[in-house]
């Protein structure tokens, strides 16, 4: 009888084991065919969960930035809930991590979610956004954006065009996210040495990993906002029986041009700031007690305006370090809703995810993440397609987690990627390029008494070919990280990490050559760029228990051969950007302190600042301003609410040809009421109301290329209803 049961278990597990084995083989073949050479030994898997794992003790995560759990009784010592961070690579809890991590989940995520990922995360410690109207906004971490911030979908890299330019949207819908993890700093080496700013990992449920206990589970949400007359809806449903589980989900939103704050000299509504889109996914998984293997298809469409697009400079060019424009070229006047250029985006993505636990002696788990993307967007002006951007790419990684060896527990893994990018039409400022990448990585941890030590190592190789000119550049680099966490007394943790991370140049930095009217720039690449090398020191102190809790972090990041767009000339609002290299230093801090005032009330003070300068004394362009916020939050039975004041300082540490940005203060409030319905289904529901910029302050983003043409949104009130069943 026992023998029969054992045989059944082996047979049930065989589809997963067989599929993982086949995938390992296919990965090896793909590498042999598409990557010229690899080099570098080592390998290291990252956890099956997504996200930015970490290099040095990077995997840390802090629960939500604001609320502190209200204790059940007055005598009970309040303690921050420990959150498992999938980005840690080893499924560690928030109290075990060394470098700063922020996790958004649950009700806090529901209330913070916006149409774009950048707007969803903006305002959290160390995180701002590259504001470009309402349709495109990417996270900026510690003053770094673009390719220095890696965005993942459950551990696999998103493949869109958002790293190319800030007017290109991130192909991910925050409305469908279950959890968002942000690792600040360059120590998340499991996902690439190029993530010098950090990693954002968006977790979702589109590939089921478990059979729902009652056979099904799901949620639905509706919300409406006043400023842009936005309407949005979300649904998700998972059902399963036996070994199979099916998941379907969808989200849609529609918003008109938004109103700026009071006193904007160009009017009330921002022309071309509308946005609408929809996302749908279907996923199927085979699940048993030892793991799962599943796949999902996701289709996303979006249409959004491009505020401030300057079509009058269409004929301009560059002669040496000087801009030259036709005699009749002049700065374009503000466009109207009817004539504003727009982006029409389509992204189709296939995801393959799997995990096999305890496959053989000494191995705790084998995990797989793979994504294949077909992306394109048309930039349309006066009803005609002006430029088409397309990106055909894949990203695959396999991770092996081993059981402790002489006290060391860790991962080894392999990551492969390919990207074929092209821009055709009026703004084809870069010739078609093909990028091939291969990375080998390892992550190990060791525990001794109240200490936890972590070490990570990664080697990357890259080949970037400009297909029209035939120019090809090869780069490689080795990154390493060391970290430690010391819980020197109950409720306190001191973390430290040192990271040496190598970032390889992107195709755009190497080969760009032409006008980009959306950002009002003429861009020139440099095929002789070398790899960047960042040396980052991070120190953090956390207190997670008692009436007073806090997290404080300071960092210094010196980057040799820092690559940036240096403005060498300006003409009528058009800037000539030359990709250049120079050593740069970033220093800063992030922190928040929460004080429990009563059983039902708490007060949070938070702030962050980053300073960045080049070795010649000049400033790094478009840096976020220093911020401070004060928030009063409370809960009483089914009621929860907050009142918050956020103050940004004036940003006058500017680069050449950049204008200062005035400071501003905003008042935000929120209120929610929730409960669980009676009956067999026991549905959990929540009604929430939030008001952002209640004082209707006119505000500009210092990180934006078009800050005066597209100010931040004025007063906005959102009402939402969410049901989980």
């Amino acid at each position: 009888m026992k023998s029969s049961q054992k045989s059944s278990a082996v047979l049930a597990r065989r589809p997963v084991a067989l599929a993982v084995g086949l995938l390992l083989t296919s990965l090896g073949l793909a590498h042999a065919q598409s990557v010229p050479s690899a080099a570098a030994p080592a390998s290291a898997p990252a956890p099956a969960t997504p996200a930015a794992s970490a290099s040095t003790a990077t995997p840390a995560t802090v629960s939500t930035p604001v609320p502190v759990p209200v204790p059940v009784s007055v005598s009970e010592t309040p303690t921050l809930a420990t959150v498992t961070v999938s980005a840690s690579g080893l499924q560690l809890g928030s109290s075990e991590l060394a470098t700063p991590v922020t996790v958004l989940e649950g009700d806090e995520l529901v209330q913070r979610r916006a149409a774009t990922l950048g707007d969803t995360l903006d305002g959290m410690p160390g995180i701002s956004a590259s504001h470009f109207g309402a349709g495109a906004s990417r996270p900026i971490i510690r003053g770094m954006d673009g390719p220095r911030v890696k965005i993942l979908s459950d551990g696999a890299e998103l493949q869109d065009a958002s790293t190319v330019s800030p007017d290109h949207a991130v192909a991910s819908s925050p409305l469908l996210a279950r959890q968002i993890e942000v690792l600040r700093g360059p120590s998340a080496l499991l996902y690439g040495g190029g993530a010098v700013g950090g990693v954002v990992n968006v977790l979702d449920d589109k590939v089921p990993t478990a059979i729902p206990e009652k056979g099904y589970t799901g949620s639905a949400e509706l919300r409406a906002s006043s400023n842009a007359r936005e309407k949005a809806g979300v649904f998700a449903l998972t059902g399963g029986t036996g070994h199979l589980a099916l998941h379907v989900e969808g989200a849609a939103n529609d918003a008109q041009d938004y109103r700026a704050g009071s006193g904007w000299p160009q009017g009330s509504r921002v022309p071309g700031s509308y946005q609408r889109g929809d996302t749908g996914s279907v996923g199927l998984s085979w699940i048993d007690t030892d793991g799962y293997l599943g796949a999902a298809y996701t289709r996303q469409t979006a249409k959004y305006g491009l505020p401030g697009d300057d079509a009058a400079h269409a004929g301009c060019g560059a002669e040496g370090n000087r801009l030259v424009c036709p005699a009749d070229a002049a700065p374009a006047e503000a466009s109207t809703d009817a004539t504003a250029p727009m982006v029409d985006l389509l992204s189709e993505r296939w995801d393959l995810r799997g995990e096999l636990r305890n496959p053989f002696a000494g191995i705790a788990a084998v995990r797989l993440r793979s994504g294949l993307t077909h992306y394109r967007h048309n930039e349309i002006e006066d009803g005609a397609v002006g430029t088409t951007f397309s990106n055909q790419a894949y990203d695959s990684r396999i991770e092996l987690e081993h059981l402790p060896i002489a006290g060391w527990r860790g991962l080894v893994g392999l990551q492969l990627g390919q990207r074929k990018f092209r821009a055709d039409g009026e703004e084809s400022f870069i010739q078609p390029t093909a990028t091939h990448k291969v990375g080998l990585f390892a992550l190990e941890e060791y525990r001794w008494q109240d200490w936890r030590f972590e070490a990570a190592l990664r080697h990357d190789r890259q080949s970037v070919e400009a297909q029209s000119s035939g120019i090809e550049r090869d780069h490689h680099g080795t990154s390493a990280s060391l970290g430690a966490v010391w819980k020197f007394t109950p409720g306190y943790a001191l973390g430290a990490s040192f990271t040496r991370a190598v970032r390889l140049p992107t195709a755009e930095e190497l080969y760009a050559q032409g006008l980009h009217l959306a950002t009002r720039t003429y861009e020139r690449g440099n095929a002789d760029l070398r790899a960047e090398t960042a040396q980052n020191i991070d120190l953090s102190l956390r207190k997670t228990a008692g009436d007073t809790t806090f997290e404080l972090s300071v960092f210094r990041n010196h980057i040799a051969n820092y690559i940036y767009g240096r403005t060498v000339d300006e003409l009528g609002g058009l800037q000539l950007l030359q990709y250049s290299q120079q050593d740069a230093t970033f220093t800063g801090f992030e922190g928040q302190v929460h004080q429990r005032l009563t059983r039902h009330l708490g007060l949070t003070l938070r702030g962050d600042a980053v300073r960045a300068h080049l070795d010649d004394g000049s400033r790094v362009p478009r840096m976020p301003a220093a911020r401070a916020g004060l928030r009063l939050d409370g809960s009483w039975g089914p009621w929860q609410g907050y009142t918050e004041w956020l103050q940004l300082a004036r940003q006058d540490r500017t680069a050449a040809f950049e204008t200062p940005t005035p400071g501003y203060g905003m008042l935000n409030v929120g209120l929610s009421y929730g409960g669980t319905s009676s009956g067999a289904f026991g549905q959990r529901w929540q009604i929430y109301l939030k008001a952002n910029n209640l004082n209707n302050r006119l505000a500009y983003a210092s990180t934006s290329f078009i800050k005066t043409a597209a100010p931040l949104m004025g007063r906005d009130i959102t009402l939402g209803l969410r049901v989980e069943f």
Side-chain angles (χ1 to χ4, degrees):
M1 186 65 162
K2 290 182 180 178
S3 175
S4 173
Q5 291 175 344
K6 184 175 181 181
S7 299
S8 300
V10 171
L11 288 172
R13 190 175 67 182
R14 186 167 296 168
V16 177
L18 179 60
V20 170
L22 289 173
L23 242 160
L24 278 167
T25 304
S26 66
L27 280 174
L29 291 174
H31 169 57
Q33 293 171 1
S34 64
V35 180
S37 63
S43 124
T49 17
S53 154
S55 67
T56 53
T58 218
T61 142
V62 175
S63 50
T64 337
V66 177
V68 167
V70 177
V72 176
S73 66
V74 177
S75 60
E76 184 181 338
T77 301
T79 303
L80 288 175
T82 297
V83 181
T84 299
V85 183
S86 69
S88 65
L90 296 172
Q91 305 301 295
L92 299 171
S94 56
S95 62
E96 301 176 291
L97 305 174
T99 54
V101 176
T102 299
V103 175
L104 263 182
E105 60 172 2
D107 292 345
E108 179 73 4
L109 174 58
V110 170
Q111 292 205 15
R112 289 192 64 100
R113 285 187 306 196
T116 65
L117 186 60
D119 289 340
T120 299
L121 298 175
D122 188 20
M124 302 186 74
I127 308 169
S128 50
S130 60
H131 177 73
F132 208 99
S137 179
R138 206 173 192 275
I140 297 175
I141 302 178
R142 293 180 169 181
M144 299 187 190
D145 61 355
R148 294 184 180 88
V149 174
K150 197 172 289 291
I151 299 179
L152 310 172
S153 174
D154 200 7
E157 186 173 354
L158 276 181
Q159 301 286 354
D160 49 34
S162 64
T163 59
V164 177
S165 175
D167 65 306
H168 300 167
V170 175
S172 176
S173 174
L175 296 176
L176 293 170
R178 167 174 51 88
Q179 179 171 304
I180 301 177
E181 303 170 341
V182 182
L183 284 78
R184 305 192 292 278
S187 58
L189 297 186
L190 292 187
Y191 302 94
V196 179
V199 171
V200 177
N201 186 43
V202 182
L203 299 178
D204 54 59
D205 294 314
K206 60 187 177 185
V207 175
T209 59
I211 305 293
E213 290 185 10
K214 56 185 179 182
Y216 69 91
T217 184
S219 63
E221 182 178 349
L222 293 173
R223 59 194 293 173
S225 301
S226 63
N227 188 301
R229 298 189 283 271
E230 180 182 14
K231 301 174 289 294
V234 188
F235 82 92
L237 179 64
T238 303
T241 183
H243 290 289
L244 290 176
L246 177 69
H247 178 84
V248 292
E249 64 182 22
N253 69 295
D254 189 343
Q256 301 179 27
D257 288 346
Y258 67 78
R259 292 189 301 269
S262 177
W264 187 42
Q266 299 184 39
S268 174
R269 293 193 179 274
V270 178
S273 61
Y274 63 89
Q275 54 91 13
R276 56 185 176 272
D278 57 74
T279 303
S281 294
V282 58
L284 181 67
S285 293
W286 172 275
I287 302 167
D288 63 27
T289 55
D290 294 315
Y292 72 94
L293 181 67
Y297 168 75
T298 303
R299 186 179 190 272
Q300 179 176 0
T301 67
K303 293 183 178 181
Y304 60 90
L306 296 174
D309 187 281
D310 194 355
H313 284 124
C316 296
E319 294 181 358
N321 286 338
R322 200 166 61 88
L323 284 168
V324 178
C325 294
D328 58 347
E333 298 180 359
S335 54
T336 65
D337 286 341
T339 61
M342 64 168 287
V343 167
D344 184 0
L345 179 154
L346 171 63
S347 174
E348 294 182 287
R349 179 181 172 95
W350 290 261
D351 282 280
L352 183 64
R353 302 172 185 171
E355 178 176 6
L356 182 60
R357 293 180 287 273
N358 303 310
F360 43 85
I363 301 301
V366 178
R367 303 186 182 99
L368 168 73
R369 289 292 183 272
S370 186
L372 174 66
T373 301
H374 296 299
Y375 170 96
R376 73 108 181 100
H377 81 246
N378 296 322
E379 296 190 356
I380 301 172
E381 188 169 358
D382 296 329
V385 176
T387 309
T388 297
F389 293 87
S390 65
N391 194 32
Q392 313 297 318
Y394 73 80
D395 178 69
S396 299
R397 58 188 296 119
I398 191 80
E399 303 165 352
L400 219 68
E401 179 181 344
H402 66 78
L403 295 173
I405 301 173
W408 289 88
R409 182 175 75 103
L411 303 166
V412 293
L414 168 69
Q415 181 174 1
L416 302 173
Q418 177 179 283
R419 173 179 181 258
K420 293 184 177 181
F421 179 80
R422 63 183 301 132
D424 299 305
E426 296 176 357
E427 294 186 47
S428 54
F429 63 94
I430 180 172
Q431 56 185 298
T433 60
T435 303
H436 301 275
K437 295 181 179 180
V438 59
L440 297 164
F441 55 90
L443 170 68
E444 299 290 332
E445 72 155 6
Y446 184 84
R447 296 172 186 263
W448 177 70
Q449 296 183 1
D450 297 326
W451 291 81
R452 176 182 174 273
F453 302 94
E454 183 172 289
L457 183 67
R458 182 179 177 105
H459 183 81
D460 289 288
R461 299 187 72 88
Q462 170 184 285
S463 171
V464 185
E465 179 187 2
Q467 296 182 322
S468 296
S469 63
I471 301 174
E472 184 174 351
R473 291 292 184 266
D474 297 321
H475 300 88
H476 63 87
T478 300
S479 303
S481 181
L482 295 172
V485 181
W486 179 30
K487 296 183 178 180
F488 55 91
T489 193
Y492 287 84
L494 180 65
S497 68
F498 173 77
T499 305
R500 179 190 184 275
V502 176
R503 186 182 80 85
L504 310 181
T506 66
E508 296 74 39
E509 293 167 337
L510 292 168
Y511 305 125
Q513 183 71 40
L515 273 173
H516 195 184
L517 295 178
T519 57
R520 302 184 179 186
T521 59
Y522 187 100
E523 299 184 22
R524 294 194 313 197
N526 181 356
D528 295 325
L529 292 175
R530 294 166 291 170
E532 294 179 349
T533 302
Q535 298 188 41
N536 183 81
I537 297 176
D538 228 305
L539 300 175
S540 62
L541 176 64
R542 295 195 303 271
K543 183 176 185 290
T544 58
D547 289 339
T548 303
T549 58
F550 59 78
E551 180 182 13
L552 306 172
S553 303
V554 294
F555 65 91
R556 183 182 187 275
N557 194 354
H558 179 77
I559 305 177
N561 299 321
Y562 178 77
I563 301 171
Y564 68 106
R566 179 170 60 96
T567 302
V568 296
D569 192 25
E570 181 180 24
L571 182 61
L574 181 70
Q575 293 190 358
L576 174 58
L577 293 188
Q578 172 66 59
Y579 283 104
S580 307
Q581 286 190 293
Q582 190 179 160
D583 291 359
T585 302
F586 290 70
T587 56
F589 76 91
E590 305 120 9
Q592 61 181 21
V593 180
H594 181 93
Q595 177 64 48
R596 187 176 72 145
L597 303 177
T598 70
R599 177 181 174 82
H600 301 287
L601 291 175
L603 190 68
T604 300
L605 173 66
R606 74 175 189 269
D608 58 51
V610 59
R611 296 285 183 262
H613 63 84
L614 302 166
D615 270 12
D616 64 3
S618 60
R619 304 291 180 180
V620 175
R622 290 173 294 282
M623 294 299 296
R627 299 179 298 190
L630 185 64
R631 171 163 167 159
L632 179 68
D633 58 88
S635 63
W636 190 281
W639 292 93
Q640 292 188 0
Y642 66 88
T643 300
E644 174 186 62
W645 180 266
L646 181 64
Q647 184 68 46
L648 269 77
R650 172 183 171 85
Q651 180 56 281
D652 53 12
R653 299 170 180 266
T654 56
F657 301 98
E658 186 181 4
T659 58
T661 306
Y664 61 86
M666 283 187 179
L667 176 64
N668 306 317
V669 300
L671 184 67
S672 67
Y673 182 85
T676 302
S677 62
S678 58
F681 297 105
Q683 297 165 337
R684 182 178 181 270
W685 56 272
Q686 179 190 41
I687 299 175
Y688 59 90
L689 178 72
K690 64 177 181 178
N692 292 333
N693 196 4
L694 194 59
N695 53 330
N696 202 31
R697 182 65 184 270
L698 176 63
Y700 302 101
S702 61
T703 56
S704 175
F705 276 87
I706 58 168
K707 58 186 176 185
T708 57
L712 299 179
M713 187 178 290
R715 183 185 300 114
D716 184 42
I717 299 174
T718 300
L719 176 65
L721 169 64
R722 180 176 175 83
V723 179
E724 298 176 358
F725 52 88

